[in-house]
Amino acid sequence: MVSAALLATVAAAPPVPAVPGPQVRVERSARHEPRAPEQFTALRTVAPTIIQEMRYTTVHNFTGVRVDGYRQPVCILTRPAAQALARAQRALLRRGLSLKVYDCYRPQRAVDHFVRWAEDLDDEGMKAEFYPRVDKSRLFADGYIAAKSGHSRGSTVDATLVELPALPTRPYVPGEPLVPCYAPRSERFPDNSVDMGTGFDCFDTLSHTADPRITGGQRARRTLLKAVLEREGFVNLPEEWWHFTYRQEPFPDTYFDFPVAWGSLRGLVVEHARMAHF
């Protein structure tokens, strides 16, 4: 049985604050923004104990700026995918672990932002952490960047595991020294997740889920994450240990472009305001 104190610890884990970067593009007026279909929901309303660290609302990502379309640090998913994550979370809590998500639904404008960034070969400000061994000119050919993403269909999530009680993750300070994402855990940017062998969004073959070079403990944790999520209907992308897609996704051929914000969700803005008072 999971104690009330344990659940409170997970739910209280603070998200990384959204820090706009200096190169944020001016986006279209909110009055004319598309909204999510009714089949979408906020993960926090379905599985409030899952920790959220929405990296693309911050500058601590491979682009070095806040990504287009990420207005608020909220994980949005199709309801079946969110419910499946809730079931996986219940299984992990019994082990003293929690899921943590780095990214969920991703608007097409964010994917377009990634493409523009990848085409600008002079912008390598975050190379030392996220792709130190990959020439930026190879990001498309090697499959790290693409013009379409399964995340835009709303049933794909980037996730990891956290030991409970969860420790906070300190904010990234722009300009601080960068350490390779495949460095030993004690040397990498401090993340409260367990050691998976690399950090999130590490553009390196060491991020391949079954890479033979990872240690026994790292392999066991990747295997556990994969097994728990596969049991609830997710499929892992073999090139990224953190990347999972709900197999029975409601929109397998639709790529959405509504912004990541509470206001994109029909009927949940009032619920968000209510939850903010707790």
Side-chain angles (χ1 to χ4, degrees):
M1 179 68 65
V2 181
S3 69
L6 182 60
L7 291 174
T9 298
V10 183
V16 175
V19 183
Q23 300 178 33
V24 174
R25 294 169 59 86
V26 177
E27 298 187 40
R28 66 199 79 176
S29 168
R31 291 176 300 174
H32 304 294
E33 288 286 14
R35 296 182 70 188
E38 292 182 356
Q39 294 94 325
F40 280 79
T41 189
L43 179 63
R44 195 168 299 284
T45 66
V46 177
T49 63
I50 293 179
I51 300 167
Q52 298 186 26
E53 185 182 323
M54 307 301 291
R55 282 287 186 89
Y56 299 137
T57 65
T58 79
V59 299
H60 188 212
N61 64 73
F62 57 85
T63 72
V65 300
R66 184 173 182 171
V67 177
D68 287 0
Y70 285 85
R71 305 280 179 78
Q72 293 173 310
V74 53
C75 171
I76 296 174
L77 288 169
T78 59
R79 190 167 285 103
Q83 292 168 341
L85 284 183
R87 295 192 298 270
Q89 175 73 344
R90 287 195 290 270
L92 288 167
L93 287 174
R94 291 193 288 270
R95 294 171 170 261
L97 297 168
S98 172
L99 284 170
K100 179 168 84 168
V101 294
Y102 294 109
D103 193 34
C104 302
Y105 158 74
R106 180 185 303 165
Q108 181 61 44
R109 72 191 74 179
V111 179
D112 296 342
H113 186 165
F114 292 167
V115 170
R116 291 193 305 273
W117 167 82
E119 291 173 340
D120 182 0
L121 300 183
D122 294 327
D123 182 356
E124 294 192 323
M126 302 299 283
K127 178 178 174 62
E129 178 173 354
F130 292 97
Y131 54 107
R133 294 193 286 216
V134 179
D135 190 286
K136 194 175 183 183
S137 66
R138 295 284 310 169
L139 293 181
F140 287 106
D142 291 350
Y144 294 112
I145 300 292
K148 293 287 185 182
S149 169
H151 281 275
S152 302
R153 303 193 300 262
S155 296
T156 294
V157 63
D158 292 333
T160 189
L161 299 173
V162 175
E163 285 188 345
L164 298 174
L167 300 174
T169 297
R170 72 164 176 83
Y172 165 77
V173 179
E176 69 177 87
L178 301 176
V179 177
C181 52
Y182 50 74
R185 182 172 183 259
S186 61
E187 299 175 16
R188 299 196 301 263
F189 181 84
D191 188 314
N192 62 359
S193 70
V194 299
D195 185 8
M196 291 291 200
T198 76
F200 165 61
D201 259 357
C202 187
F203 295 176
D204 195 274
T205 55
L206 199 62
S207 294
H208 292 188
T209 306
D211 190 282
R213 294 170 293 173
I214 58 175
T215 68
Q218 295 162 351
R219 181 175 298 104
R221 298 177 198 109
R222 290 187 186 187
T223 300
L224 174 61
L225 176 65
K226 184 172 181 283
V228 170
L229 290 178
E230 283 184 343
R231 193 175 303 128
E232 300 304 335
F234 287 90
V235 179
N236 175 240
L237 179 68
E239 290 78 21
E240 298 178 352
W241 60 257
W242 56 82
H243 182 114
F244 294 86
T245 298
Y246 189 60
R247 188 188 301 273
Q248 296 182 331
E249 53 182 318
F251 302 101
D253 302 308
T254 306
Y255 296 82
F256 295 95
D257 193 40
F258 58 86
V260 176
W262 282 93
S264 294
L265 296 167
R266 303 170 190 272
L268 287 181
V269 177
V270 173
E271 175 67 10
H272 172 54
R274 184 188 69 81
M275 292 175 64
H277 286 86
F278 282 88

